[in-house]
Amino acid sequence: MPQTRMRVNHQVPITSLRMFSSPYSDIPVDKNDPRGREPLILLETVGVAFESYYAKTDGRNPPFGRSIEGSRKDVWLRKSVAEKLARVNELLRPFEAELFVLDGHRTIACQQGLWNFFFAKAQQQNPDGSEQEHRAYARQFIVDPASFDEADSRTWPAHTNGAAVDLTLQDSVTGELLDMGARFEEDTEANVGDYFERQLAAGHMDENDVRLQNRRLLNWAMTREGLLNETAKVFWHYDWGNQSYVRASRAFLQDPPQAAWYGYIEPPS
């Protein structure tokens, strides 16, 4: 593999799925926290590059190959989260790298569209299977929004709070996506955040491997701004201030918050 151009003094923490096994939906949301009233803003207003993956119409968004019903081309995030991403870009500037955002706030309609895609895929792959089997397959990839209740935090899909973001890195000069060892939404073991750290520890790769160093660069810059990735899961998902963030903070922070401050927020009109 190509050698990385610059290195950071950082390692992606090696974790286990057991550390993040408790449902994030069980974590309370403090509705009295004033930070929870923060608005959504357009990501483009802070100068962070993006392309809404689920709204792509050119077919270049596997495994979907089309736009997802309910998706939108603009990307919205809570104001503080968007501003954090802009500051992450400042950290990345010396490395000629920058963030490339693929998903932010997600509407319930888009969540339903994603559920419909994976449920239909289950039916195609196992036409004789039961509805229960098809639902179990879809749940491997997406939270079923069928039980969504705006008043019940136990039913809120992770991206409906505007504080969850899916992203990767791109070359800030050419705009070419950097090699992270796996692509967004790719169903492979290499999509796990700490995968290449494990490969290095096992002696299966060189520390200068660009895939390892790009993962480290992303994790270093994002965590410097306080956003957390559950590294036993996909490398592209980061949270700040929501229920998933609180769950992740229990693994990574000495004094984790007891409750989230960002809960469900209506999509912009």
Side-chain angles (χ1 to χ4, degrees), residues 54-257:
Y54 303 125
K56 286 172 66 68
T57 57
D58 59 6
R60 299 174 65 180
N61 60 339
F64 312 106
R66 57 173 174 80
S67 63
I68 295 297
E69 183 179 359
S71 63
R72 47 192 302 165
K73 291 184 178 295
D74 48 11
V75 172
W76 296 76
L77 287 168
R78 297 282 187 156
K79 184 174 184 292
S80 289
V81 178
E83 290 171 346
K84 282 179 175 292
L85 298 188
R87 291 195 293 271
V88 168
N89 270 351
E90 292 302 311
L91 293 172
L92 293 170
R93 188 182 302 276
F95 302 89
E96 294 187 354
E98 64 181 9
L99 299 176
F100 188 74
V101 172
L102 299 155
D103 191 31
H105 180 273
R106 190 184 300 164
T107 65
I108 291 298
C110 182
Q111 188 80 13
Q112 185 66 57
L114 289 166
W115 174 265
N116 292 345
F117 173 85
F118 286 110
F119 188 81
K121 186 176 180 180
Q123 291 177 313
Q124 293 167 1
Q125 293 182 351
N126 183 18
D128 297 326
S130 66
E131 180 178 354
Q132 183 178 5
E133 290 173 323
H134 296 153
R135 294 178 69 84
Y137 174 86
R139 278 197 298 270
Q140 297 177 82
F141 304 97
I142 193 72
V143 171
D144 184 359
S147 62
F148 171 73
D149 179 353
E150 185 177 336
D152 187 351
S153 63
R154 295 170 298 180
T155 70
W156 297 342
H159 276 264
T160 60
N161 49 62
V165 60
D166 294 332
L167 42 67
T168 188
L169 292 176
Q170 70 175 12
D171 188 302
S172 59
V173 177
T174 67
E176 181 180 357
L177 295 182
L178 299 189
D179 185 359
M180 308 299 289
R183 296 183 299 274
F184 180 59
E185 290 287 19
E186 185 176 10
D187 184 18
T188 170
E189 62 179 349
N191 70 23
V192 174
D194 63 13
Y195 176 78
F196 293 115
E197 298 289 354
R198 293 177 182 274
Q199 292 292 101
L200 176 67
H204 297 325
M205 70 186 311
D206 184 271
E207 190 167 13
N208 290 318
D209 191 294
V210 69
R211 299 168 297 176
L212 172 70
Q213 293 299 330
N214 286 342
R215 293 272 182 104
R216 287 180 171 182
L217 181 61
L218 175 62
N219 189 262
W220 167 79
M222 293 292 283
T223 54
R224 281 280 296 271
E225 271 299 319
L227 292 105
L228 296 179
N229 166 252
E230 296 178 333
T231 61
K233 299 185 177 183
V234 293
F235 76 86
W236 56 74
H237 181 98
Y238 281 80
D239 297 284
W240 164 257
N242 56 21
Q243 292 165 297
S244 297
Y245 169 81
V246 174
R247 181 174 64 183
S249 72
R250 293 171 179 171
F252 298 122
L253 303 183
Q254 289 186 342
D255 187 22

